[in-house]
Amino acid sequence: MLDSWHDSIVQVGEFGLLSALAVGGGLWLFKKNQPQLGEQLNDMFVDRAAVDKAIAQTEVIINQLAQESTSHPALEKLRANLAKLPLELDRKEITVAVTGGKSVGKSTVIKVTENAGTSSGMSLHFSETAPLFSVIGENADVVTLSEMQKSDFVLFLTNGDLTDSEFQVLQQLKAAKQPTLLVFNKQDQYQPDERATVLQSLKQRIGANVVATAASPVAVKVRKHEEDGSFQEWMEQPTPDIQQLTQQLGEVVRQQGEQLVCNTTNRKVLLLKAEAKDCLNNVRRDKSTPFIEQYQWIAAAAAFANPVPALDILATAAITAQMVMDLGNIYQQKISLEQAQQVAGTMGSLMLKLGLVELSTRAVTGILKTNVATFVAGGMVEGVSAAYLTRVAGLSLVEYFEQQEVALESGSVLNLDKLRQVLQTVFQQNQRMAVLEDFVKQGVKRLLPEAKAVEV
């Protein structure tokens, strides 16, 4: 190599040659260290066993919904969609969504690529999405992203360096673990040095494999000279340059076609599982609400008749422990009386540490002070505060149970960090002034039945 570069050494010197070697070596290392598409996809994939497990978990939820609400309107649809999932795993067609902004060549890429075929037993089916970024101020791109996630693979087309909007969409696809290949189309419209710069920029920004294509090259002028000095000119259409793209697609289908199908099926399973769980949680929440309301007013009456700090009512009374047991039964959490008492004590302690007891008592006191007659009536503050805190405890348990996996196993172990977060969130949701004023009105009517409509 040094001998072949002898003339260059004479012209630029030894330092120039070493610099060229360093730059060339750096570019070679950069290319070598770039993760290949197959390596990236491996990080996204789940195997068939994991999908089968997810399907089984979804079936448990749907069966549980059928037991708890035999006539639920969504049951038939949920069961029908569940029955399709095992068939999805055996399909031999890879769905490819082709997306990008306006005028990037989506239709043309599909036309010249769909006839390429693969040497494996799986076929490719291409579909074009609506142009991204074509509608301003609406959720069209959100809908398009949702559609892309139903496909096995995404070809994201761009005709130059990425805009910020394009980059954000690619990041969203990456976060959703959607296998994606970035296609730099219309590369023939750039000079060779500009083309290399854009391609390198795309690879650096995405940190992924990028292919360059010219699906519909610009026509070039051809001139033929005759022996007599005359010549003929005409425009000629070059052959589409899609070799890199078809090669990548072929390798992906051959090496990871079945994994792509598993990946897409798993996303569909998770969506169906979430839908079924939402239905089941709604049924259970409807059952839980009367229990929470019943126990909050029992706690209010007890505190009103025998005023004690609201925390004591929440942490030690059998009222709260019994509510914990009843809510646990609704959510298939087998909780004993002793465990329920521990849960009640834990929640009371958390409320004290988070300052919820003080905040709720102060808020109730402030509202009641607007009406002297109700404010001076016995343990009104203690009663309404006890009801409010009991309600927050009940709603927090419901929220906590809904976040757990549906199972018929014991739910005696509480995640205190998660419970603390749920308590804070539920308290904040019920701390709005309008909500508090309405609740205090209900409490006054419950504790002083003879009172007329009270302005608070």
Side-chain angles (χ1 to χ4, degrees):
M1 180 175 66
L2 290 175
D3 288 339
S4 67
W5 283 5
H6 176 73
D7 293 339
S8 298
I9 294 176
V10 172
Q11 294 178 13
V12 301
E14 183 178 0
F15 179 77
L17 174 60
L18 293 177
S19 299
L21 287 172
V23 172
L27 291 174
W28 176 78
L29 286 173
F30 172 79
K31 182 176 180 181
K32 180 180 179 182
N33 292 331
Q34 284 294 300
Q36 295 301 305
L37 183 61
E39 296 173 3
Q40 299 163 38
L41 295 182
N42 285 333
D43 295 335
M44 299 180 177
F45 286 143
V46 295
D47 57 22
R48 181 160 186 150
V51 180
D52 287 334
K53 182 179 179 181
I55 292 176
Q57 291 173 340
T58 305
E59 185 176 12
V60 168
I61 297 174
I62 294 175
N63 289 339
Q64 191 66 35
L65 175 63
Q67 291 180 22
E68 299 184 22
S69 180
T70 55
S71 59
H72 196 284
L75 262 177
E76 185 177 348
K77 179 184 175 183
L78 290 172
R79 283 171 166 165
N81 289 335
L82 179 68
K84 296 176 184 177
L85 294 175
L87 301 177
E88 278 279 313
L89 283 171
D90 295 325
R91 61 184 169 86
K92 298 298 181 182
E93 182 182 72
I94 302 298
T95 58
V96 181
V98 181
T99 192
K102 284 185 176 182
S103 305
V104 293
K106 296 185 290 295
S107 300
T108 306
V109 165
I110 292 176
K111 182 178 179 181
V112 299
T113 306
E114 62 185 355
N115 297 323
T118 64
S119 59
S120 67
M122 308 190 86
S123 61
L124 293 172
H125 174 73
F126 294 87
S127 62
E128 180 180 346
T129 72
L132 294 172
F133 328 116
S134 58
V135 180
I136 305 300
E138 297 186 17
N139 64 344
D141 291 346
V142 176
V143 175
T144 302
L145 279 169
S146 177
E147 289 299 315
M148 282 190 278
Q149 291 179 24
K150 295 178 182 178
S151 65
D152 298 313
F153 198 78
V154 173
L155 294 182
F156 192 103
L157 271 60
T158 184
N159 55 8
D161 206 351
L162 291 177
T163 64
D164 183 64
S165 298
E166 289 175 321
F167 181 77
Q168 293 301 325
V169 173
L170 284 167
Q171 291 299 99
Q172 292 177 54
L173 289 171
K174 181 178 180 181
K177 294 190 175 182
Q178 172 66 58
T180 304
L181 177 62
L182 181 59
V183 180
F184 170 33
N185 194 30
K186 301 186 179 183
Q187 64 161 340
D188 60 302
Q189 298 181 10
Y190 293 81
Q191 294 297 324
D193 55 339
E194 295 175 335
R195 187 184 311 168
T197 300
V198 172
L199 193 59
Q200 183 175 351
S201 175
L202 292 174
K203 291 179 179 180
Q204 288 177 329
R205 291 191 66 185
I206 299 303
N209 200 15
V210 182
V211 298
T213 61
S216 180
V218 177
V220 296
K221 182 182 291 187
V222 178
R223 175 179 293 181
K224 181 180 179 182
H225 292 269
E226 304 293 346
E227 292 182 358
D228 60 1
S230 63
F231 61 87
Q232 298 179 357
E233 288 184 343
W234 66 91
M235 300 302 293
E236 190 170 289
Q237 184 70 41
T239 303
D241 181 6
I242 57 168
Q243 183 178 356
Q244 290 185 33
L245 176 58
T246 55
Q247 182 179 351
Q248 282 280 18
L249 286 175
E251 290 179 1
V252 168
V253 172
R254 283 192 300 273
Q255 299 176 13
Q256 294 162 320
E258 292 182 2
Q259 289 179 307
L260 283 170
V261 171
C262 283
N263 206 40
T264 304
T265 306
N266 189 60
R267 286 199 300 273
K268 293 180 179 180
V269 174
L270 295 180
L271 288 173
L272 182 63
K273 181 181 178 182
E275 182 183 356
K277 192 172 181 182
D278 283 343
C279 292
L280 181 59
N281 283 338
N282 288 335
V283 169
R284 290 174 168 180
R285 188 174 281 263
D286 289 342
K287 293 179 180 179
S288 300
T289 300
F291 281 101
I292 295 174
E293 291 179 350
Q294 176 186 356
Y295 286 115
Q296 74 187 25
W297 300 129
I298 292 175
F304 180 71
N306 184 26
V308 293
L311 176 61
D312 292 341
I313 288 291
L314 184 65
T316 62
I319 298 170
T320 307
Q322 187 60 51
M323 181 181 69
V324 171
M325 290 184 65
D326 287 340
L327 294 179
N329 288 335
I330 291 174
Y331 284 88
Q332 300 295 321
Q333 303 291 315
K334 299 177 181 178
I335 303 176
S336 67
L337 177 59
E338 181 181 359
Q339 291 169 336
Q341 290 172 339
Q342 293 175 351
V343 171
T346 298
M347 295 191 73
S349 177
L350 284 175
M351 284 187 171
L352 180 63
K353 292 178 181 178
L354 293 171
L356 306 188
V357 176
E358 180 182 355
L359 287 173
S360 64
T361 303
R362 187 187 308 163
V364 170
T365 301
I367 295 173
L368 284 173
K369 276 185 176 180
T370 61
N371 188 285
V372 178
T374 56
F375 179 63
V376 299
M380 183 61 71
V381 173
E382 289 81 358
V384 176
S385 296
Y388 176 75
L389 290 173
T390 302
R391 180 175 183 79
V392 169
L395 293 176
S396 297
L397 282 169
V398 166
E399 188 75 23
Y400 176 83
F401 288 147
E402 285 182 353
Q403 295 177 12
Q404 309 308 305
E405 285 294 329
V406 174
L408 301 179
E409 302 170 355
S410 173
S412 59
V413 179
L414 285 178
N415 184 325
L416 294 183
D417 288 336
K418 182 176 291 186
L419 185 58
R420 181 183 292 105
Q421 294 172 4
V422 171
L423 265 174
Q424 287 178 304
T425 301
V426 172
F427 183 79
Q428 290 169 0
Q429 291 171 348
N430 289 269
Q431 189 68 6
R432 296 190 298 271
M433 186 56 65
V435 174
L436 270 173
E437 287 181 348
D438 183 64
F439 188 83
V440 171
K441 286 181 181 179
Q442 295 181 49
V444 170
K445 291 179 180 179
R446 287 273 182 171
L447 299 175
L448 297 177
E450 70 281 2
K452 303 294 184 181
V454 181
E455 294 184 2
V456 292

